[in-house]
Amino acid sequence: MKAVSILFTLALSASAVFAASDNIYSSKRLIKTSETEQQWLTEKQIFALIAQRKHFIDITDTQDLQPASHLVALPFPTTLTHQTQVNAAIGKISDVVPKSVLTNFTQFTNRYYNNNNGKTSSTWLLNTIKSTVPGIDVQPFAHRFPQSSIIARIPGTTKPNEIVVISAHQDSINQNNPSSGRAPGADDDGSGTVTILEALRVFVASGYKPARTVEFHWYAGEEGGLLGSADVVKAYQSKQVIGNIQFDMTGYPADPPAVGIVTDYTDATANSLVRSIVTTYTDLPTEDFACGYGCSDHASWNRAGFRSSLPFENQYLDGNENIHTSYDSLDTVDFPHLLKFVNIAVAYAIEVGDAK
Ligand SMILES: *[C@@H]1O[C@H](CO)[C@@H](O)[C@H](O)[C@H]1NC(C)=O
């Protein structure tokens, strides 16, 4: 009996150590569901929010992130000045890489951030970015959960400390079974993932080198309450980030097709430029709508006082009912529509990256 009880004690303490260091959900998380409501919740309670498609922000590890209002005062362009350069770059856009990458990316059972699926899919994406755009600086950004974010960096020529951030999220989730349910995440947010990958590819292929540094970020753990972007923004708090543009769902147009401009938790000045970019560099109109609290990673930048925008695939928040289920599949993605968001991403990189 004694031996057994020692073994039992050892097993217990070993599992306690594993839980404390390896699983973010071994203790409760601080979850905000609005500007004014926050609660410490268990994994089970967080999964219940996900099952109800409630948006939330997990601020447990980023409680010290505060709006630094001086950052918004960094100059931001109000007009488009680089049509020739943007048109040359968008002339190189093709559906070959987006289709091939999204085909394979949707074959992971899911890309859940807190287990090996999300870790494996992240490593695959990192290697795919490296092989699609060879010779550039691409690094994983580790978190306290298994999936890493990914950051690709093109240094600016004359203002390398000023940074423009083009982003999407790489994780996917099945709302009824986050860890093992099927979640191809083709639109949410495989579409944004390949949108910014194709933008990076043609941006580099065009050879145009803006004054500012342009970074492409693929965030981990967005579905867990903007976890990956919050960690990245915390690391960028004191940097001069001129603007962020997030692409979360680009492949599912409504009738009539339009680009939804998210007006809440975004920056009005940056949104004005994004509207000009859409009407100048695509054949789509824009339509404003509110997305709600914590609806995507733009909100992490907004929390820290940076300018952020979210051009969305249509003008309705719940336009695509397939998301967070097994039905968010490759065959539902409208690639010609998705490619228009590549135009927007490339135009933002060049126009904001090189504005005087
Ligand atoms: C996707 O998978 C196929 C089949 O394994 C492979 O031939 C192709 O190169 C892959 N594409 C990418 C972008 O990894």
Side-chain angles (χ1 to χ4, degrees):
M1 280 308 285
K2 182 104 180 129
V4 169
S5 84
I6 286 168
L7 274 177
F8 185 62
T9 309
L10 280 175
L12 262 184
S13 64
S15 80
V17 167
F18 170 81
S21 62
D22 289 328
N23 189 347
I24 57 166
Y25 296 126
S26 60
S27 51
K28 288 185 179 179
R29 306 285 301 176
L30 187 54
I31 303 296
K32 281 189 81 164
T33 46
S34 75
E35 265 329 310
T36 52
E37 295 159 289
Q38 64 181 55
Q39 266 183 292
W40 288 93
L41 299 182
T42 63
E43 180 181 45
K44 200 175 162 190
Q45 291 169 318
I46 293 168
F47 283 1
L49 289 178
I50 290 171
Q52 296 161 52
R53 290 193 184 170
K54 290 242 169 73
H55 291 140
F56 60 91
I57 305 182
D58 182 333
I59 64 162
T60 317
D61 302 319
T62 54
Q63 291 174 59
D64 51 343
L65 204 60
Q66 293 297 333
S69 51
H70 65 282
L71 291 168
V72 153
L74 290 169
F76 193 90
T78 53
T79 55
L80 304 178
T81 52
H82 287 68
Q83 268 98 334
T84 308
Q85 295 88 344
V86 172
N87 285 326
I90 66 183
K92 295 178 184 298
I93 294 171
S94 132
D95 65 4
V96 173
V97 167
K99 277 187 173 164
S100 165
V101 172
L102 195 54
T103 299
N104 296 12
F105 202 46
T106 49
Q107 282 166 17
F108 292 93
T109 299
N110 56 53
R111 304 185 299 270
Y112 179 57
Y113 54 91
N114 200 34
N115 70 14
N116 201 49
N117 294 332
K119 187 183 166 84
T120 311
S121 65
S122 181
T123 303
W124 182 85
L125 181 61
L126 176 71
N127 291 328
T128 300
I129 296 164
K130 284 181 177 171
S131 59
T132 304
V133 194
I136 61 158
D137 176 13
V138 189
Q139 305 287 340
F141 183 107
H143 301 288
R144 289 186 55 216
F145 49 91
Q147 187 171 61
S148 292
S149 294
I150 299 171
I151 296 179
R153 187 171 181 275
I154 316 291
T157 51
T158 57
K159 298 173 185 167
N161 294 333
E162 299 185 12
I163 306 169
V164 176
V165 177
I166 320 285
S167 59
H169 76 87
Q170 61 178 276
D171 59 312
S172 75
I173 203 160
N174 181 307
Q175 65 187 28
N176 295 317
N177 184 354
S179 62
S180 52
R182 177 79 176 111
D187 193 29
D188 187 11
D189 182 24
S191 63
T193 295
V194 301
T195 294
I196 72 166
L197 175 58
E198 180 65 3
L200 169 62
R201 190 188 71 76
V202 302
F203 176 74
V204 170
S206 78
Y208 191 69
K209 298 217 168 14
R212 301 190 172 89
T213 293
V214 178
E215 294 190 357
F216 293 76
H217 294 188
W218 289 265
Y219 299 123
E222 189 267 354
E223 305 290 3
L226 319 184
L227 288 164
S229 58
D231 284 349
V232 170
V233 170
K234 189 173 166 178
Y236 277 60
Q237 256 186 123
S238 57
K239 296 192 186 198
Q240 296 182 58
V241 178
I242 302 297
N244 161 255
I245 187 166
Q246 165 82 352
F247 292 87
D248 189 352
M249 298 166 60
T250 62
Y252 199 90
D255 188 15
V259 174
I261 301 293
V262 171
T263 51
D264 53 344
Y265 303 99
T266 55
D267 179 77
T269 302
N271 290 346
S272 294
L273 190 82
V274 172
R275 286 189 200 91
S276 303
I277 285 175
V278 173
T279 50
T280 304
Y281 297 116
T282 80
D283 58 2
L284 296 173
T286 64
E287 203 168 308
D288 289 357
F289 77 109
C291 185
Y293 185 79
C295 88
S296 190
D297 294 307
H298 64 289
S300 293
W301 291 101
N302 180 267
R303 256 180 85 198
F306 293 105
R307 294 189 200 277
S308 188
S309 298
L310 172 55
F312 191 67
E313 62 191 4
N314 60 47
Q315 55 279 46
Y316 308 108
L317 179 54
D318 298 316
N320 185 351
E321 291 180 352
N322 300 320
I323 66 165
H324 304 174
T325 73
S326 62
Y327 302 111
D328 185 9
S329 54
L330 186 69
D331 56 295
T332 66
V333 173
D334 181 330
F335 280 93
H337 190 71
L338 180 155
L339 293 185
K340 294 174 187 178
F341 289 80
V342 181
N343 291 21
I344 299 168
V346 171
Y348 189 96
I350 293 176
E351 293 283 2
V352 183
D354 211 31
K356 287 282 176 282

